[in-house]
Amino acid sequence: MTDAAAPTTRQLDTVEVATGTPERELPWSELGLKADEYDRIREILGRRPTGAELAMYSVMWSEHCSYKSSKVHLKKFGELSQETPRGRTLAGIGENAGVIDIGQGYAVTFKVESHNHPSYVEPYQGAATGVGGIVRDILAMGARPVAVMDPLRFGPLDAEDTARVLPGIVAGVGGYGNCLGLPNIGGEVVFDETYLGNPLVNALCVGVLRHEDLHLAHATGVGNKVVLYGARTGGDGIGGVSVLASETFDADGPAKRPSVQVGDPFMEKLLIECTLELFRAGVVNGIQDLGGAGLSCATSELASAGDGGMHVELDTVPLRDSSLSPEEILMSESQERMMAVVEPAHLDGFMAICEKWDVEAVVVGEVTDTGRLVIDWHGETVVDVPPRSVAHDGPTYERPYARPDWQDALQADVAEALARPATGDELRTQLLDVLASPNQADKSWVTDQYDRYVQGNTVMSQPDDGGVVRIDPETNLGVAVATDCNGRFAKLDPYAGAQLALAEAYRNVAVTGGEPLAVTDCLNFGSPEDPAVMWQFEQATHGLKDGCAELGIPVTGGNVSFYNQTGDVAILPTPVVGVLGVVDDVRLRVRSGFAAADEHVLLLGETREELSGSAWAGVVHDHLGGMPPAIDLAAEKALGALLRAAIEAGLLTSAHDLSDGGLAIALAESVIRNGVGAHVELDDPFVELFSESASRAVVTVREDQHEAFMTLAEQHGVVVSSIGRTGGDALEVAGSFSVPAAELEQRWRATLPAVLGHTIPGAIGTTAVQG
Amino acid sequence: MKIGVVTFPGSLDDVDAQRAVRLAGAEPVALWHGDHDLKGVDAVILPGGFSYGDYLRCGAIARFAPVMTEVVEGANKGMPVLGICNGFQILCESHLLPGALIRNDHRTFVCRDQELVVENAGTAWTRAYEQGQQITVPLKNGEGGFVADAETLDRLEGEGRVVVRYVGANPNGSLRDIAGVTNERGNVVGLMPHPEHAVEDLCGPGTDGLGFFASAVQALAAV
């Protein structure tokens, strides 16, 4: 409003004013609320909301915070048994992150979240604050963060917008995570045209705690103090609320706030150390991080999970910008802030620790038993609501869903019918083309920008299949984590695609020697208002739930990201699955490269003629159609048990899972890793190299352990094919072709630097080979 | 034998440095940036990280930390002091070492297993190595380009004060491939690579880094 007649002094919209002016129009629609939602708010309050209340409801009832479109489908994860193979989960869905018992008094917590849209708008800060947010979730459980992983998805490597978003996102992930001192132990980098304009930035964090240190987000104990600590509150991340500000206030007031948050990893590092010391000192009753929806979320969630009431004096919140209105303070998504509930007797101790770490801390309120969340602004009440109605009673939608009419045609267009290479030379060329394609090529351009060594406990990281960190240097207990999703499979059949993602992550944990215990998921989809997308979502969640039930591992938490689409084109359905496992002795780790000559190369699992959705079909024929590989979770479980038993018995010299690109890529990567070649004999080289049948791995075994391994495999009911021997300096497929290891490596390494530029001039890959 | 490791706000590799000290056979002692107290240690390590977020020049604020008064005093009296990465930057800012470290020439953070050659095996932190020995330790930095004027570089070379040099492709634009330097007395060493990440086979590219810490133990035993 630039109208000269506009009021020049702001009128505070208090509860009293709202009661007295029932007919005043508020910009509920501009804040994203539907008419029936606004009516419900009026019904809950028995009057119109104040501007501040409207701000809180609108942000807490948004898709992002309320899961209003997904809730009915996510509910089924709650039906899964909360038993892991190592005992009952200590905290599950509904907390900031799930907590799993791994024995020896240790528990781990892990979760993956999306920060897709902010990363498209502002790649560096979007990605950076994505890391920051998930780290605070883990911290809020009382855990020390010990590792991060970042599944990333972009448009085609050579697309103009990829050149804009990829370097910024990678630098943001690195810039923030490196500065926190958290090793980045893996993740994914995937390219597909549907991600152009919709890059996916998912961030996973793992934390460790002792059982007794578990902290939950509860505000209990009437009279206990509510302390806000960490960074000051600024105008970042406010987004939509500026509409409210401009409607309510004068033209000279704050407006047009940046809607992407700006991160300060140094503050977050202080917050981590400070918070862990607060836990150790026993001065924290309940705690909550401030992420999406900022203070609106923290106050309403803490209050509704506790004794039911909280009184906050909002004008005590430390500000970076003194002109912020109460509505903006409530909605600000300024990073690096936490809220704690502290007993009065512990307050001095709490403040002393914050001071030691130069972290600003202020008492902003206290716990009450009124059943109301009351927020005052300079003595006048601007919010008076039942906290549960804000935090948990948001709308629930049963969005219509329907199998899209194109699904049948897509599934009928099978890749098995595509032209196959006619000669050994052609097969050789296709293998190199698939190996050098952006999705299979070396990713060290990305991962070299992440610190994988800090904390000194990284046992495995890229390019191994899963990340492994040591938890206890005395007992060598560790955890393994992997994230996976093949969106092409999920497009062909979302139910099977979700299960294939689960199976792959499960396998990648097993291949490190870990026993899979629990699942976190990041469900990235298009618009929930499109029945076809909603069908994909329904199918994927259903598949994931059924898969977890069969594997006997619970889903302990995760995140949904909708509206990843441009116009009518949605992204490939991308249910990213993270699996966490326990490794009883990390010293037994087995890596993915061939280790020495004259060892047996064994293919575990059954290979069928399954080429639809494969990397071969995509790279060689630009084709996506047919049915994804068959899924047999009993076989997956058996394979996992065999890998674990063989690693524990010290029978394997290398192990690599088979996934995108099938045996071809697994063999090529195994040769490249240490420059140890292999000679293999295959009945039908093309099918055996490029089929992407699930539940398979390639391992190497020394001659003197061959018999023992074969016996073990038989006991586990896993089919073993002896396909050849290691040795030489080339990958040789008998009767078909041979490629020198150096040529494989050159093609594999050249792709990303050729488009993104060399970070170190003249340096071709001295980095991916660790140890 | 006690070796102190200073924790500044934003230090990250302090725990790793303590582990390395322990594995080398000495007792690690945690030192706090805000204390004028070295707790009777025989040597000091300034670890890697992003002290104060490195929002000003790297190390420019940390040099004014209270504990640095005692560190500088000790260094000037011959106490072994090792600065790793951010610690190297702090030593340069404190004028205990010449030169400065600037943003990598390729402008991106780099984390890699780096080959190095030990050019001076006579310092308090390198005497466990052979002259000319090639070792591999992780390198990880965003601002690791070592720079100094030509005269200073010539003097460093002439006096044998280049401690380690990068082998192969220069990873960050450091002049004359310099990865680490020492002071005239050879008790203060600054390194851009991270030897504390190469002290166990399990969690790094081998154990080539252990020699830096073993060197200090030897040097202190010889006193």
Side-chain angles (χ1 to χ4, degrees):
Chain A
M1 288 196 294
T2 51
D3 188 346
T8 51
T9 51
R10 54 167 303 189
Q11 187 203 1
L12 188 65
D13 193 18
T14 62
V15 169
E16 199 182 337
V17 170
T19 309
T21 55
E23 297 317 314
R24 184 183 292 176
E25 282 294 316
L26 292 185
W28 49 268
S29 173
E30 288 86 338
L31 289 171
L33 288 166
K34 303 273 190 280
D36 59 328
E37 293 172 350
Y38 185 60
D39 288 345
R40 256 195 77 203
I41 295 168
R42 295 183 63 123
E43 195 184 310
I44 289 167
L45 298 176
R47 55 173 165 79
R48 77 159 174 90
T50 65
E53 288 166 341
L54 184 67
M56 291 183 78
Y57 279 106
S58 72
V59 68
M60 288 300 288
W61 286 13
S62 69
E63 185 67 62
H64 181 74
C65 292
S66 75
Y67 293 87
K68 57 188 168 192
S69 300
S70 55
K71 241 190 301 200
V72 294
H73 301 290
L74 298 178
K75 236 188 275 172
K76 50 184 170 269
F77 295 140
E79 296 161 11
L80 288 166
S81 158
Q82 290 302 297
E83 291 289 324
T84 78
R86 297 281 173 105
R88 200 165 172 74
T89 54
L90 304 176
I93 290 181
E95 296 297 340
N96 283 315
V99 181
I100 304 133
D101 185 2
I102 57 164
Q104 299 179 14
Y106 286 104
V108 288
T109 176
F110 80 130
K111 189 179 176 186
V112 60
E113 272 194 351
S114 63
H115 225 220
N116 303 337
H117 301 112
S119 302
Y120 174 69
V121 176
E122 212 299 299
Y124 185 97
Q125 293 297 345
T129 54
V131 175
I134 193 67
V135 168
R136 284 193 304 283
D137 267 348
I138 295 304
L139 182 62
M141 301 307 294
R144 173 175 281 282
V146 295
V148 291
M149 278 182 142
D150 294 273
L152 307 176
R153 284 170 171 77
F154 303 100
L157 176 60
D158 54 5
E160 197 182 326
D161 201 52
T162 302
R164 177 184 71 91
V165 299
L166 188 149
I169 285 171
V170 171
V173 168
Y176 203 97
N178 294 343
C179 198
L180 293 187
L182 295 178
N184 192 311
I185 59 169
E188 301 165 87
V189 181
V190 178
F191 302 92
D192 185 89
E193 61 191 350
T194 62
Y195 303 121
L196 187 63
N198 305 285
L200 302 186
V201 174
N202 296 174
L204 180 147
C205 183
V206 188
V208 178
L209 63 156
R210 302 292 299 174
H211 285 189
E212 59 272 22
D213 293 336
L214 179 59
H215 285 264
L216 301 177
H218 298 164
T220 52
V222 173
N224 282 348
K225 300 299 177 190
V226 176
V227 184
L228 181 66
Y229 69 107
R232 292 186 155 227
T233 299
D236 46 352
I238 285 175
V241 80
S242 53
V243 179
L244 189 66
S246 63
E247 289 284 332
T248 315
F249 311 131
D250 64 276
D252 300 326
K256 290 285 172 201
R257 301 284 171 193
S259 61
V260 176
Q261 314 87 312
V262 176
D264 175 356
F266 172 59
M267 175 53 78
E268 181 116 331
K269 169 67 178 169
L270 296 183
L271 209 53
I272 292 172
E273 300 303 332
C274 177
T275 302
L276 291 172
E277 191 164 334
L278 291 169
F279 288 146
R280 279 198 300 274
V283 295
V284 176
N285 264 37
I287 195 157
Q288 168 93 28
D289 67 302
L290 273 70
L295 279 165
S296 296
C297 179
T299 53
S300 63
E301 287 195 349
L302 271 172
S304 61
D307 292 349
M310 188 185 285
H311 179 235
V312 173
E313 289 176 20
L314 198 61
D315 47 287
T316 57
V317 171
L319 301 178
R320 283 206 296 266
D321 172 354
S322 60
S323 72
L324 290 179
S325 69
E327 292 87 346
E328 290 176 309
I329 296 168
L330 283 168
M331 279 178 94
S332 164
E333 296 191 349
S334 286
Q335 299 289 293
E336 295 93 23
R337 296 180 298 163
M338 304 280 284
M339 181 168 272
V341 177
V342 182
E343 286 174 28
H346 290 148
L347 195 60
D348 287 348
F350 186 101
M351 292 300 181
I353 291 168
C354 290
E355 198 178 333
K356 173 185 166 187
W357 289 101
D358 296 325
V359 169
E360 190 170 9
V362 170
V363 174
V364 296
E366 66 178 43
V367 178
T368 66
D369 57 3
T370 59
R372 310 286 291 185
L373 171 60
V374 177
I375 299 179
D376 292 349
W377 178 252
H378 294 291
E380 294 189 84
T381 300
V382 292
V383 172
D384 184 351
V385 297
R388 222 192 133 70
S389 70
V390 178
H392 299 294
D393 297 342
T396 300
Y397 291 146
E398 300 259 4
R399 300 265 192 206
Y401 58 89
R403 190 171 194 271
D405 47 16
W406 43 260
Q407 196 76 32
D408 284 343
L410 182 71
Q411 291 182 344
D413 177 21
V414 301
E416 286 76 10
L418 297 170
R420 302 181 180 192
T423 64
D425 267 356
E426 218 179 310
L427 184 55
R428 182 187 197 275
T429 302
Q430 293 188 354
L431 180 141
L432 287 170
D433 288 347
V434 173
L435 181 67
S437 67
N439 282 334
Q440 317 308 325
D442 174 34
K443 301 301 187 308
S444 48
W445 190 94
V446 172
T447 53
D448 279 4
Q449 296 186 48
Y450 306 153
D451 183 349
R452 59 183 177 272
Y453 287 116
V454 67
Q455 296 194 4
N457 287 314
T458 305
V459 176
M460 287 168 87
S461 60
Q462 65 79 30
D464 282 307
D465 295 320
V468 177
V469 288
R470 179 173 61 186
I471 300 300
D472 188 324
E474 300 296 317
T475 65
N476 290 297
L477 182 71
V479 293
V481 193
T483 70
D484 287 292
C485 179
N486 185 325
R488 286 164 56 83
F489 289 165
K491 174 86 182 266
L492 298 180
D493 181 342
Y495 180 93
Q499 293 200 339
L500 286 161
L502 170 66
E504 187 181 346
Y506 183 95
R507 193 180 322 135
N508 280 330
V509 165
V511 96
T512 67
E515 178 172 24
L517 298 183
V519 167
T520 182
D521 57 29
C522 195
L523 306 169
N524 307 275
F525 286 78
S527 168
E529 292 160 41
D530 176 346
V533 169
M534 217 45 220
W535 174 80
Q536 293 173 331
F537 184 78
E538 192 278 332
Q539 287 287 299
T541 50
H542 201 161
L544 187 56
K545 184 241 168 179
D546 288 351
C548 286
E550 192 165 350
L551 291 172
I553 51 178
V555 175
T556 59
N559 164 255
V560 177
S561 173
F562 279 131
Y563 298 103
N564 296 290
Q565 70 178 60
T566 305
D568 289 342
V569 183
I571 58 164
L572 294 175
T574 312
V576 170
V577 178
V579 170
L580 180 138
V582 61
V583 183
D584 290 316
D585 186 348
V586 290
R587 291 172 303 177
L588 300 174
R589 58 108 184 263
V590 171
R591 286 173 161 164
S592 62
F594 293 151
D598 283 324
E599 297 183 342
H600 290 273
V601 180
L602 307 176
L603 174 62
L604 313 183
E606 280 184 77
T607 304
R608 291 172 291 268
E609 188 174 318
E610 294 179 310
L611 298 162
S612 291
S614 68
W616 172 80
V619 173
V620 176
H621 293 283
D622 193 19
H623 180 273
L624 177 60
M627 288 298 287
I631 177 101
D632 177 353
L633 292 170
E636 196 64 62
K637 230 174 154 171
L639 176 69
L642 169 62
L643 286 165
R644 207 160 51 248
I647 289 169
E648 276 166 14
L651 300 177
L652 305 183
T653 55
S654 78
H656 196 344
D657 97 301
L658 263 61
S659 55
D660 304 12
L663 181 64
I665 296 305
L667 288 175
E669 288 177 349
S670 297
V671 166
I672 291 168
R673 184 92 188 249
N674 299 317
V676 175
H679 175 92
V680 299
E681 297 186 10
L682 305 171
D683 296 333
D684 180 345
F686 165 72
V687 169
E688 288 174 58
L689 284 172
F690 284 119
S691 164
E692 295 190 10
S693 294
S695 312
R696 297 184 301 157
V698 64
V699 299
T700 50
V701 175
R702 286 205 315 266
E703 182 65 52
D704 60 345
Q705 292 181 318
H706 184 246
E707 202 182 315
F709 178 79
M710 296 304 276
T711 306
L712 196 63
E714 203 182 324
Q715 284 165 2
H716 283 84
V718 175
V719 176
V720 181
S721 317
S722 290
I723 58 170
R725 290 259 182 182
T726 57
D729 54 7
L731 173 61
E732 245 180 67
V733 178
S736 189
F737 67 87
S738 171
V739 194
E743 187 178 351
L744 289 171
E745 178 166 9
Q746 194 278 328
R747 289 292 303 273
W748 182 65
R749 288 202 190 276
T751 306
L752 264 61
V755 177
L756 301 169
H758 290 271
T759 52
I760 298 172
I764 291 283
T766 48
T767 54
V769 182
Q770 180 194 329
Chain B
M1 194 172 300
K2 292 179 179 177
I3 300 183
V5 178
V6 178
T7 299
F8 298 95
S11 289
L12 305 178
D13 302 305
D14 43 350
V15 175
D16 307 59
Q18 289 177 23
R19 181 189 296 115
V21 166
R22 200 176 305 119
L23 290 169
E27 180 192 340
V29 176
L31 302 177
W32 184 245
H33 71 102
D35 296 339
H36 281 288
D37 184 3
L38 294 187
K39 297 185 179 172
V41 297
D42 306 297
V44 169
I45 297 172
L46 307 182
F50 295 77
S51 57
Y52 299 93
D54 281 349
Y55 289 145
L56 191 54
R57 240 173 21 251
C58 300
I61 297 180
R63 72 163 282 212
F64 292 109
V67 76
M68 286 306 293
T69 311
E70 283 69 32
V71 171
V72 171
E73 207 176 278
N76 288 332
K77 287 181 187 159
M79 179 178 74
V81 175
L82 175 66
I84 303 169
C85 196
N86 196 228
F88 186 7
Q89 294 159 342
I90 296 167
L91 291 177
C92 291
E93 288 289 337
S94 304
H95 304 294
L96 286 172
L97 292 174
L101 293 136
I102 62 168
R103 187 165 290 279
N104 297 346
D105 55 356
H106 47 78
R107 323 299 288 174
T108 50
F109 187 93
V110 61
C111 175
R112 67 205 303 255
D113 296 342
Q114 178 66 47
E115 251 190 280
L116 303 171
V117 58
V118 179
E119 298 271 15
N120 179 345
T123 76
W125 297 95
T126 51
R127 61 168 64 191
Y129 295 103
E130 303 285 328
Q131 195 82 16
Q133 189 177 339
Q134 294 215 2
I135 58 173
T136 301
V137 302
L139 176 79
K140 41 170 214 179
N141 64 69
E143 306 194 22
F146 181 77
V147 294
D149 58 51
E151 192 188 330
T152 304
L153 292 171
D154 288 342
R155 196 175 72 243
L156 288 173
E157 303 263 17
E159 294 173 0
R161 287 166 56 193
V162 175
V163 178
V164 282
R165 230 186 275 272
Y166 300 113
V167 175
N170 185 320
N172 49 26
S174 284
L175 296 178
R176 304 193 191 179
D177 298 333
I178 291 173
V181 299
T182 186
N183 62 350
E184 287 172 25
R185 202 164 169 172
N187 63 313
V188 179
V189 169
L191 290 175
M192 194 36 63
H194 287 259
E196 78 282 15
H197 292 322
V199 295
E200 290 180 282
D201 276 322
L202 190 65
C203 300
T207 56
D208 284 358
L210 201 54
F212 289 94
F213 307 94
S215 295
V217 173
Q218 281 180 21
L220 292 170
V223 172

